[in-house]
Amino acid sequence: MVPFGGWDMPVQYSGLKAEHEAVRTSAGVFDVSHMGEFRITGPDALKFLQHVTPNDVSKLRAGRAQYNWLPNDRGGLVDDIYIYMAAEGEYLMVVNAGNIDKDWAHLNALTGGFDVKLANESDRWALLAVQGPKAAELLQPHTDTDLGTKKKNAYFSAKLFGQDVRLARTGYTGEDGFEVFVDAKDAEAMWDRLLGIGITPAGLGARDTLRLEAGFPLYGHEFGDDIHPLSSHYGWVVKDKEHFGREGLRQTPTQKLIGLKLDKVPVREGYPVKVGGQVVGHVTSGTTSPTLGHPIAMALVSAESTDADAYEVEVRGKDHPAQRAEIPFYTQKA
């Protein structure tokens, strides 16, 4: 157990590699109840969300979810978020645990002129993420809903083990899966039932190796208050519309997020990345990929060094060769 986002969180249960492989081949469950949830309601709920985010929230329909950002006015992000549309004029925003207070203050500061109500429901909801290619198959006998009809980013009410929940076909591992929103008081019983049908408990260690293989940025690593988010491969988030922070996002990034692979030596956040012996950036996330069998990393490097033929990563005073790799490193099997 380690401190994380103001909570004590499990790094591993049976072991990182076993948990990682369970999610890639069958199904694992992560307790991500530390995430924050804000309810946004009112006649101007959509108008407000369009103002505070760069993605087009008007494309959502009831029962659908969308990845999005909260930009600041300096060309960085307050947070990256998910928005779930429950009904006309009613949305749920899920935010990163360590950013709950910051996001709450940011959103409330921007409500002027909007007929909108914000409610912080972070303590009300537990969130259990069931992830893996067999997630639907394992859950199906225990729910009243045909999961096969639910597409990626679906968000819907259901009964699971007889319990009223909201399910979302979303996740952070690169695999299929369902995130289970359940009343906090019922979370322990729900967790036990999920383990009882053969779903493997998984901790922060596997969550990080899985998301890194899938090329998902993590706030505080690839995204941040002072990191231009368009240095990443997530430019598709920004649509052509007016919104808070638009001018900052229109600035040209001076860095670019790239993928690297190494033969043997694992690298970690903060390690210098070099071209021809000169530092051009740093590792933002690194691990040894359990699926691929070699070290991988994402790194922020200067825009002019992104087409280099070869890179090196400095590890404890010694430079190790690294090759440019496509992000994502791993793609879900059909």
Side-chain angles (χ1 to χ4, degrees), residues 190-270:
M190 180 63 69
W191 175 267
D192 290 343
R193 290 185 182 113
L194 292 169
L195 267 55
I197 61 171
I199 297 175
T200 301
L204 286 176
R207 188 167 171 82
D208 198 51
T209 54
L210 290 157
R211 72 92 191 168
L212 182 48
E213 286 183 351
F216 294 142
L218 177 62
Y219 192 90
H221 295 254
E222 289 74 38
F223 290 147
D225 287 308
D226 299 310
I227 300 172
H228 198 304
L230 295 183
S231 61
S232 73
H233 48 294
Y234 271 47
W236 56 268
V237 174
V238 179
K239 303 302 190 289
D240 185 16
K241 66 170 195 177
E242 292 296 330
H243 63 84
F244 181 83
R246 186 184 186 197
E247 290 308 309
L249 291 187
R250 293 175 82 172
Q251 297 168 8
T252 302
T254 59
Q255 295 176 301
K256 184 174 176 62
L257 188 70
I258 64 169
L260 295 173
K261 63 178 180 178
L262 296 93
D263 289 335
K264 293 180 180 178
V265 180
V267 298
R268 300 284 179 255
E269 178 191 6

Coordinates of all heavy atoms in Angstrom, one line a residue, residues 190-270:
M190 N -19.7 -5.3 -3.5 CA -19.5 -5.5 -4.9 C -18.1 -6.0 -5.3 O -18.0 -6.9 -6.1 CB -19.8 -4.1 -5.6 CG -19.6 -4.1 -7.1 SD -20.9 -5.2 -7.9 CE -22.4 -4.2 -7.6
W191 N -17.1 -5.5 -4.6 CA -15.7 -6.0 -4.9 C -15.6 -7.5 -4.6 O -15.1 -8.2 -5.4 CB -14.8 -5.2 -3.9 CG -13.4 -5.6 -4.0 CD1 -12.8 -6.5 -3.1 CD2 -12.3 -5.2 -4.9 NE1 -11.4 -6.6 -3.4 CE2 -11.1 -5.8 -4.5 CE3 -12.3 -4.3 -5.9 CZ2 -9.9 -5.6 -5.2 CZ3 -11.1 -4.0 -6.6 CH2 -9.9 -4.7 -6.2
D192 N -16.2 -7.9 -3.5 CA -16.1 -9.3 -3.1 C -16.8 -10.2 -4.1 O -16.4 -11.3 -4.5 CB -16.7 -9.6 -1.7 CG -15.8 -9.0 -0.6 OD1 -14.7 -8.7 -0.9 OD2 -16.3 -8.8 0.5
R193 N -18.0 -9.7 -4.6 CA -18.7 -10.5 -5.7 C -17.9 -10.6 -7.0 O -17.9 -11.6 -7.6 CB -20.1 -9.8 -5.9 CG -21.0 -10.0 -4.7 CD -22.4 -9.5 -5.0 NE -23.3 -9.6 -3.9 CZ -23.8 -8.6 -3.2 NH1 -23.5 -7.3 -3.6 NH2 -24.6 -8.7 -2.2
L194 N -17.3 -9.5 -7.3 CA -16.5 -9.5 -8.6 C -15.3 -10.5 -8.5 O -15.0 -11.3 -9.4 CB -16.0 -8.1 -8.9 CG -17.0 -7.1 -9.3 CD1 -16.4 -5.7 -9.3 CD2 -17.6 -7.4 -10.7
L195 N -14.7 -10.5 -7.3 CA -13.6 -11.5 -7.1 C -14.1 -12.9 -7.1 O -13.5 -13.9 -7.5 CB -12.8 -11.2 -5.8 CG -11.6 -10.3 -5.9 CD1 -11.9 -9.0 -6.6 CD2 -11.0 -10.0 -4.5
G196 N -15.4 -13.0 -6.6 CA -16.0 -14.4 -6.5 C -16.3 -15.0 -7.8 O -16.5 -16.2 -7.8
I197 N -16.4 -14.2 -8.9 CA -16.7 -14.8 -10.2 C -15.4 -15.0 -11.0 O -15.5 -15.2 -12.2 CB -17.7 -14.0 -11.0 CG1 -17.3 -12.6 -11.2 CG2 -19.1 -14.1 -10.2 CD1 -18.2 -11.8 -12.2
G198 N -14.2 -14.8 -10.3 CA -13.0 -15.1 -11.0 C -12.3 -13.9 -11.6 O -11.4 -14.1 -12.4
I199 N -12.7 -12.7 -11.2 CA -12.0 -11.5 -11.7 C -10.8 -11.2 -10.8 O -11.0 -11.2 -9.6 CB -13.0 -10.3 -11.8 CG1 -14.0 -10.7 -12.9 CG2 -12.2 -9.1 -12.2 CD1 -15.1 -9.6 -13.0
T200 N -9.6 -11.0 -11.4 CA -8.4 -10.8 -10.6 C -8.3 -9.4 -10.0 O -8.4 -8.4 -10.8 CB -7.2 -11.1 -11.5 OG1 -7.3 -12.4 -12.0 CG2 -5.9 -10.9 -10.7
P201 N -8.0 -9.2 -8.7 CA -7.8 -7.9 -8.2 C -6.4 -7.4 -8.7 O -5.5 -8.1 -8.7 CB -7.8 -8.1 -6.7 CG -7.4 -9.5 -6.5 CD -8.0 -10.3 -7.7
A202 N -6.4 -6.1 -9.1 CA -5.2 -5.5 -9.7 C -4.9 -4.2 -9.0 O -5.9 -3.4 -8.7 CB -5.3 -5.4 -11.2
G203 N -3.7 -3.8 -8.9 CA -3.3 -2.6 -8.2 C -2.7 -1.5 -9.1 O -2.7 -1.6 -10.4
L204 N -2.1 -0.5 -8.5 CA -1.6 0.6 -9.2 C -0.4 0.2 -10.2 O -0.2 0.8 -11.2 CB -1.0 1.7 -8.2 CG -2.1 2.5 -7.5 CD1 -1.4 3.4 -6.5 CD2 -2.9 3.3 -8.5
G205 N 0.4 -0.8 -9.8 CA 1.5 -1.2 -10.6 C 1.0 -1.7 -12.0 O 1.5 -1.2 -13.0
A206 N 0.1 -2.6 -12.0 CA -0.4 -3.1 -13.3 C -1.2 -2.0 -14.0 O -1.2 -2.0 -15.2 CB -1.3 -4.3 -13.0
R207 N -1.9 -1.2 -13.3 CA -2.6 -0.1 -13.9 C -1.6 0.8 -14.7 O -1.9 1.2 -15.9 CB -3.4 0.7 -12.9 CG -4.3 1.8 -13.5 CD -5.2 2.3 -12.4 NE -6.0 3.5 -12.8 CZ -7.2 3.4 -13.5 NH1 -7.6 2.2 -13.9 NH2 -7.8 4.5 -13.9
D208 N -0.5 1.0 -14.2 CA 0.5 1.9 -14.8 C 1.1 1.2 -16.0 O 1.3 1.8 -17.1 CB 1.6 2.4 -13.9 CG 2.3 3.6 -14.4 OD1 1.7 4.5 -14.8 OD2 3.6 3.5 -14.4
T209 N 1.5 -0.1 -15.9 CA 2.1 -0.8 -17.0 C 1.1 -1.0 -18.2 O 1.5 -0.9 -19.3 CB 2.7 -2.2 -16.6 OG1 1.7 -2.9 -16.0 CG2 3.9 -2.0 -15.6
L210 N -0.1 -1.2 -17.8 CA -1.2 -1.4 -18.9 C -1.4 -0.1 -19.6 O -1.5 -0.1 -20.8 CB -2.5 -1.9 -18.2 CG -2.4 -3.4 -17.7 CD1 -3.5 -3.6 -16.6 CD2 -2.6 -4.3 -18.9
R211 N -1.6 1.0 -18.9 CA -1.9 2.3 -19.5 C -0.7 2.8 -20.3 O -0.9 3.4 -21.4 CB -2.3 3.3 -18.5 CG -1.3 3.9 -17.6 CD -0.7 5.2 -18.1 NE 0.5 5.6 -17.2 CZ 1.3 6.5 -17.6 NH1 1.2 7.2 -18.7 NH2 2.3 6.8 -16.8
L212 N 0.5 2.5 -19.9 CA 1.7 2.9 -20.6 C 1.8 2.1 -21.9 O 2.1 2.7 -23.0 CB 3.0 2.8 -19.8 CG 4.3 3.2 -20.4 CD1 4.2 4.6 -21.0 CD2 5.4 3.2 -19.4
E213 N 1.6 0.8 -21.9 CA 1.6 0.0 -23.1 C 0.6 0.5 -24.1 O 0.8 0.6 -25.3 CB 1.3 -1.5 -22.8 CG 2.4 -2.2 -22.2 CD 2.1 -3.7 -21.9 OE1 0.9 -4.1 -22.1 OE2 3.0 -4.5 -21.6
A214 N -0.6 1.0 -23.6 CA -1.6 1.5 -24.5 C -1.4 2.9 -24.9 O -2.2 3.5 -25.7 CB -3.0 1.3 -23.7
G215 N -0.4 3.6 -24.4 CA 0.0 4.9 -24.8 C -0.9 6.0 -24.2 O -1.1 7.1 -24.8
F216 N -1.6 5.7 -23.0 CA -2.4 6.7 -22.4 C -1.6 7.7 -21.6 O -0.9 7.2 -20.6 CB -3.5 6.0 -21.6 CG -4.5 5.2 -22.3 CD1 -4.9 4.0 -21.8 CD2 -4.9 5.6 -23.6 CE1 -5.8 3.2 -22.5 CE2 -5.9 4.8 -24.3 CZ -6.3 3.6 -23.7
P217 N -1.7 9.0 -21.8 CA -1.0 9.9 -21.0 C -1.6 9.9 -19.5 O -2.8 9.6 -19.3 CB -1.3 11.3 -21.6 CG -1.8 10.9 -23.0 CD -2.4 9.6 -22.9
L218 N -0.8 10.3 -18.6 CA -1.2 10.3 -17.2 C -0.9 11.8 -16.7 O 0.2 12.3 -16.9 CB -0.4 9.3 -16.3 CG -0.7 9.4 -14.8 CD1 -2.1 9.0 -14.5 CD2 0.3 8.4 -14.1
Y219 N -1.9 12.4 -16.1 CA -1.8 13.7 -15.6 C -0.7 13.7 -14.5 O -0.6 12.9 -13.6 CB -3.1 14.3 -15.0 CG -3.0 15.7 -14.7 CD1 -3.4 16.6 -15.7 CD2 -2.5 16.2 -13.5 CE1 -3.3 18.0 -15.5 CE2 -2.3 17.6 -13.3 CZ -2.7 18.5 -14.3 OH -2.6 19.8 -14.1
G220 N 0.2 14.8 -14.6 CA 1.3 14.8 -13.7 C 2.6 14.2 -14.3 O 3.7 14.4 -13.8
H221 N 2.4 13.5 -15.5 CA 3.5 12.9 -16.2 C 3.6 13.5 -17.6 O 4.4 14.3 -17.9 CB 3.4 11.4 -16.2 CG 3.5 10.8 -14.8 ND1 4.6 10.1 -14.4 CD2 2.7 10.8 -13.8 CE1 4.5 9.7 -13.2 NE2 3.3 10.1 -12.8
E222 N 2.6 13.1 -18.4 CA 2.5 13.5 -19.8 C 1.7 14.8 -20.0 O 1.8 15.5 -20.9 CB 2.0 12.4 -20.7 CG 2.9 11.3 -21.0 CD 3.1 10.3 -19.8 OE1 2.0 10.1 -19.1 OE2 4.2 9.9 -19.5
F223 N 0.8 15.0 -19.0 CA 0.0 16.3 -19.0 C 0.3 17.0 -17.7 O 0.7 16.4 -16.7 CB -1.5 15.9 -19.0 CG -2.0 15.4 -20.4 CD1 -3.0 14.5 -20.4 CD2 -1.4 15.9 -21.5 CE1 -3.5 14.0 -21.6 CE2 -1.9 15.4 -22.8 CZ -2.9 14.5 -22.8
G224 N 0.1 18.3 -17.7 CA 0.3 19.1 -16.4 C -0.1 20.6 -16.7 O -0.4 21.0 -17.8
D225 N 0.0 21.3 -15.6 CA -0.3 22.8 -15.7 C 0.6 23.5 -16.6 O 0.1 24.5 -17.3 CB -0.1 23.4 -14.3 CG -1.3 23.0 -13.3 OD1 -2.4 23.2 -13.7 OD2 -1.0 22.5 -12.2
D226 N 1.8 23.0 -16.8 CA 2.8 23.7 -17.6 C 3.3 22.9 -18.8 O 4.4 23.2 -19.3 CB 4.0 24.2 -16.7 CG 3.5 25.2 -15.6 OD1 2.8 26.1 -16.0 OD2 3.9 25.0 -14.5
I227 N 2.6 21.9 -19.1 CA 2.9 21.0 -20.3 C 1.8 21.3 -21.4 O 0.6 21.1 -21.1 CB 2.9 19.5 -19.9 CG1 4.0 19.3 -18.8 CG2 3.2 18.7 -21.2 CD1 3.9 17.8 -18.3
H228 N 2.3 21.7 -22.5 CA 1.3 21.9 -23.6 C 0.7 20.6 -24.0 O 1.5 19.7 -24.5 CB 1.9 22.6 -24.8 CG 1.0 23.2 -25.7 ND1 -0.1 22.5 -26.3 CD2 0.9 24.5 -26.2 CE1 -0.7 23.4 -27.1 NE2 -0.2 24.6 -27.0
P229 N -0.6 20.4 -23.9 CA -1.2 19.0 -24.2 C -1.1 18.6 -25.6 O -1.1 17.4 -26.0 CB -2.6 19.2 -23.7 CG -2.9 20.6 -23.8 CD -1.6 21.3 -23.5
L230 N -0.9 19.6 -26.5 CA -0.8 19.3 -28.0 C 0.6 18.8 -28.3 O 0.9 18.5 -29.5 CB -1.2 20.4 -28.8 CG -2.7 20.8 -28.7 CD1 -3.0 21.9 -29.7 CD2 -3.6 19.6 -29.0
S231 N 1.5 18.7 -27.3 CA 2.8 18.0 -27.5 C 2.6 16.5 -27.6 O 3.4 15.8 -28.1 CB 3.8 18.4 -26.4 OG 3.3 17.9 -25.2
S232 N 1.4 16.1 -27.1 CA 1.0 14.7 -27.1 C 0.4 14.3 -28.5 O 0.2 15.1 -29.4 CB 0.1 14.4 -26.0 OG -1.2 14.9 -26.3
H233 N 0.0 13.0 -28.5 CA -0.7 12.5 -29.7 C -2.2 12.6 -29.6 O -3.0 11.9 -30.2 CB -0.3 11.0 -30.0 CG -0.4 10.2 -28.7 ND1 0.4 10.4 -27.6 CD2 -1.2 9.1 -28.4 CE1 0.1 9.5 -26.7 NE2 -0.9 8.7 -27.1
Y234 N -2.7 13.5 -28.7 CA -4.1 13.7 -28.4 C -4.7 14.9 -29.0 O -5.7 15.5 -28.5 CB -4.3 13.7 -26.9 CG -4.5 12.3 -26.3 CD1 -3.7 11.2 -26.7 CD2 -5.5 12.0 -25.4 CE1 -3.9 9.9 -26.1 CE2 -5.7 10.7 -24.9 CZ -4.9 9.7 -25.3 OH -5.1 8.4 -24.8
G235 N -4.1 15.4 -30.1 CA -4.7 16.6 -30.7 C -6.1 16.5 -31.1 O -6.8 17.5 -31.3
W236 N -6.6 15.3 -31.3 CA -8.0 15.1 -31.7 C -9.0 15.6 -30.7 O -10.2 15.8 -31.0 CB -8.3 13.6 -32.0 CG -7.9 12.7 -30.8 CD1 -6.8 12.0 -30.6 CD2 -8.8 12.3 -29.7 NE1 -6.8 11.3 -29.4 CE2 -8.1 11.5 -28.9 CE3 -10.1 12.7 -29.4 CZ2 -8.6 11.0 -27.7 CZ3 -10.7 12.2 -28.2 CH2 -9.9 11.3 -27.4
V237 N -8.5 15.8 -29.4 CA -9.5 16.3 -28.4 C -9.9 17.7 -28.7 O -11.1 18.1 -28.4 CB -8.8 16.3 -27.0 CG1 -9.7 16.9 -25.9 CG2 -8.4 14.8 -26.6
V238 N -9.1 18.5 -29.3 CA -9.4 19.9 -29.5 C -10.2 20.1 -30.8 O -9.8 19.8 -31.9 CB -8.1 20.8 -29.6 CG1 -8.4 22.2 -29.8 CG2 -7.3 20.6 -28.3
K239 N -11.4 20.6 -30.7 CA -12.3 20.9 -31.8 C -12.3 22.4 -32.0 O -12.0 23.2 -31.2 CB -13.7 20.4 -31.5 CG -13.8 18.9 -31.2 CD -13.2 18.1 -32.3 CE -13.5 16.6 -32.2 NZ -12.7 15.9 -31.1
D240 N -12.8 22.8 -33.2 CA -12.8 24.2 -33.6 C -14.0 24.9 -33.0 O -15.1 25.0 -33.6 CB -12.8 24.3 -35.1 CG -12.7 25.8 -35.6 OD1 -12.3 26.6 -34.8 OD2 -13.0 26.0 -36.8
K241 N -13.8 25.4 -31.8 CA -14.9 26.1 -31.1 C -14.3 27.0 -30.1 O -13.2 26.9 -29.7 CB -15.8 25.1 -30.4 CG -15.2 24.3 -29.2 CD -16.1 23.5 -28.3 CE -15.5 23.1 -27.0 NZ -16.3 22.4 -26.1
E242 N -15.1 28.0 -29.6 CA -14.7 28.9 -28.6 C -14.7 28.2 -27.2 O -15.7 27.5 -27.0 CB -15.6 30.2 -28.6 CG -15.5 31.0 -29.8 CD -14.1 31.7 -29.9 OE1 -13.4 31.9 -28.9 OE2 -13.6 31.9 -31.1
H243 N -13.7 28.4 -26.4 CA -13.7 27.8 -25.1 C -12.7 28.5 -24.2 O -11.7 29.1 -24.8 CB -13.5 26.3 -25.1 CG -12.1 25.9 -25.7 ND1 -11.0 25.9 -24.9 CD2 -11.7 25.6 -26.9 CE1 -9.9 25.5 -25.7 NE2 -10.4 25.3 -26.9
F244 N -12.8 28.4 -22.9 CA -11.8 28.9 -22.0 C -10.4 28.3 -22.3 O -10.3 27.0 -22.5 CB -12.2 28.6 -20.6 CG -11.2 29.2 -19.6 CD1 -11.3 30.5 -19.2 CD2 -10.2 28.4 -19.0 CE1 -10.3 31.0 -18.2 CE2 -9.3 28.8 -18.1 CZ -9.4 30.2 -17.7
G245 N -9.4 29.1 -22.4 CA -8.0 28.6 -22.6 C -7.7 28.3 -24.1 O -6.6 27.8 -24.4
R246 N -8.6 28.7 -25.0 CA -8.3 28.4 -26.4 C -7.0 29.1 -26.9 O -6.3 28.4 -27.7 CB -9.5 28.9 -27.2 CG -9.4 28.5 -28.7 CD -10.6 29.1 -29.5 NE -10.5 28.6 -30.9 CZ -11.1 29.1 -31.9 NH1 -11.9 30.2 -31.7 NH2 -11.0 28.6 -33.1
E247 N -6.8 30.3 -26.5 CA -5.6 31.0 -27.0 C -4.3 30.2 -26.6 O -3.4 30.1 -27.4 CB -5.6 32.4 -26.6 CG -6.6 33.3 -27.2 CD -6.6 33.2 -28.7 OE1 -5.5 33.3 -29.3 OE2 -7.7 32.9 -29.3
G248 N -4.3 29.7 -25.4 CA -3.1 29.0 -24.9 C -2.9 27.7 -25.7 O -1.8 27.4 -26.0
L249 N -4.0 27.0 -26.0 CA -3.9 25.8 -26.8 C -3.5 26.1 -28.2 O -2.9 25.2 -28.9 CB -5.2 25.0 -26.8 CG -5.6 24.4 -25.4 CD1 -6.8 23.5 -25.6 CD2 -4.5 23.6 -24.8
R250 N -3.7 27.3 -28.7 CA -3.3 27.6 -30.1 C -1.8 27.9 -30.3 O -1.3 28.0 -31.4 CB -4.2 28.8 -30.6 CG -5.7 28.4 -30.7 CD -6.5 29.6 -31.1 NE -6.5 29.9 -32.5 CZ -7.3 30.8 -33.1 NH1 -8.2 31.4 -32.4 NH2 -7.3 31.0 -34.4
Q251 N -1.1 28.1 -29.1 CA 0.3 28.3 -29.2 C 1.0 27.0 -29.7 O 0.5 25.9 -29.5 CB 0.9 28.6 -27.8 CG 0.3 29.9 -27.2 CD 0.7 30.1 -25.8 OE1 1.4 29.3 -25.2 NE2 0.1 31.1 -25.1
T252 N 2.0 27.1 -30.5 CA 2.7 26.0 -31.0 C 3.6 25.3 -29.9 O 4.4 26.0 -29.3 CB 3.7 26.4 -32.2 OG1 2.9 27.0 -33.2 CG2 4.4 25.2 -32.7
P253 N 3.4 24.1 -29.7 CA 4.2 23.4 -28.6 C 5.7 23.4 -29.0 O 6.1 23.2 -30.1 CB 3.7 22.0 -28.6 CG 2.3 22.0 -29.3 CD 2.4 23.1 -30.3
T254 N 6.5 23.6 -28.0 CA 8.0 23.5 -28.2 C 8.5 22.1 -28.0 O 9.7 21.9 -28.2 CB 8.7 24.5 -27.3 OG1 8.4 24.2 -25.9 CG2 8.2 25.9 -27.5
Q255 N 7.7 21.2 -27.5 CA 8.1 19.9 -27.2 C 7.2 18.9 -27.9 O 6.1 19.3 -28.3 CB 8.1 19.6 -25.7 CG 9.1 20.4 -24.9 CD 9.0 20.1 -23.4 OE1 7.9 20.3 -22.8 NE2 10.0 19.6 -22.8
K256 N 7.6 17.6 -28.0 CA 6.7 16.6 -28.6 C 6.9 15.3 -27.7 O 8.0 15.0 -27.3 CB 7.1 16.3 -30.0 CG 6.2 15.3 -30.7 CD 6.5 15.2 -32.2 CE 5.6 14.1 -32.8 NZ 4.2 14.3 -32.8
L257 N 5.8 14.6 -27.5 CA 5.8 13.4 -26.8 C 6.1 12.3 -27.7 O 5.4 12.1 -28.7 CB 4.5 13.2 -26.1 CG 4.4 12.0 -25.1 CD1 5.2 12.3 -23.9 CD2 2.9 11.7 -24.7
I258 N 7.1 11.5 -27.4 CA 7.5 10.4 -28.3 C 7.5 9.1 -27.5 O 7.6 9.1 -26.3 CB 8.8 10.6 -29.0 CG1 10.0 10.7 -28.0 CG2 8.8 11.9 -29.9 CD1 11.4 10.6 -28.6
G259 N 7.5 8.0 -28.2 CA 7.7 6.7 -27.6 C 9.1 6.2 -27.9 O 9.7 6.5 -28.9
L260 N 9.6 5.5 -26.9 CA 11.0 4.9 -26.9 C 11.0 3.5 -26.5 O 10.2 3.1 -25.6 CB 12.0 5.7 -26.1 CG 12.3 7.1 -26.4 CD1 13.1 7.8 -25.3 CD2 12.9 7.3 -27.8
K261 N 11.8 2.6 -27.1 CA 12.0 1.3 -26.6 C 13.5 1.0 -26.4 O 14.3 1.5 -27.2 CB 11.4 0.3 -27.6 CG 12.0 0.2 -28.9 CD 11.3 -0.9 -29.8 CE 11.8 -1.0 -31.2 NZ 11.2 -2.0 -32.0
L262 N 13.8 0.2 -25.4 CA 15.2 -0.1 -25.1 C 15.3 -1.6 -25.1 O 14.3 -2.3 -24.9 CB 15.6 0.5 -23.8 CG 15.6 2.0 -23.7 CD1 14.3 2.6 -23.2 CD2 16.8 2.5 -22.8
D263 N 16.6 -2.1 -25.1 CA 16.8 -3.5 -25.2 C 16.6 -4.2 -23.8 O 16.0 -5.2 -23.6 CB 18.2 -3.8 -25.7 CG 18.2 -3.6 -27.2 OD1 17.2 -3.6 -27.9 OD2 19.3 -3.3 -27.7
K264 N 17.3 -3.6 -22.8 CA 17.4 -4.2 -21.5 C 17.1 -3.3 -20.3 O 16.5 -3.7 -19.3 CB 18.7 -4.9 -21.3 CG 19.0 -6.1 -22.3 CD 20.3 -6.7 -22.0 CE 20.6 -7.9 -23.0 NZ 21.9 -8.5 -22.8
V265 N 17.6 -2.1 -20.3 CA 17.7 -1.3 -19.1 C 16.4 -0.5 -19.0 O 16.0 0.3 -19.8 CB 18.9 -0.3 -19.2 CG1 18.9 0.6 -17.9 CG2 20.2 -1.1 -19.3
P266 N 15.6 -0.7 -17.9 CA 14.4 0.0 -17.7 C 14.7 1.5 -17.3 O 15.7 1.7 -16.7 CB 13.7 -0.7 -16.6 CG 14.7 -1.5 -15.9 CD 15.8 -1.8 -16.9
V267 N 13.8 2.4 -17.8 CA 14.0 3.8 -17.5 C 12.8 4.4 -16.7 O 11.7 3.8 -16.8 CB 14.3 4.6 -18.7 CG1 15.6 4.1 -19.4 CG2 13.1 4.5 -19.7
R268 N 13.0 5.4 -16.0 CA 12.0 6.0 -15.2 C 11.8 7.5 -15.5 O 12.6 8.1 -16.1 CB 12.4 5.8 -13.7 CG 12.6 4.4 -13.2 CD 11.2 3.6 -13.1 NE 11.4 2.2 -12.7 CZ 11.3 1.2 -13.5 NH1 10.9 1.4 -14.8 NH2 11.5 0.0 -13.1
E269 N 10.7 8.0 -14.9 CA 10.4 9.4 -15.1 C 11.5 10.3 -14.6 O 12.2 10.0 -13.6 CB 9.1 9.7 -14.2 CG 8.7 11.2 -14.2 CD 7.7 11.5 -13.2 OE1 7.4 10.7 -12.3 OE2 7.2 12.7 -13.2
G270 N 11.8 11.3 -15.5 CA 12.9 12.2 -15.1 C 14.2 11.9 -15.7 O 15.1 12.8 -15.8

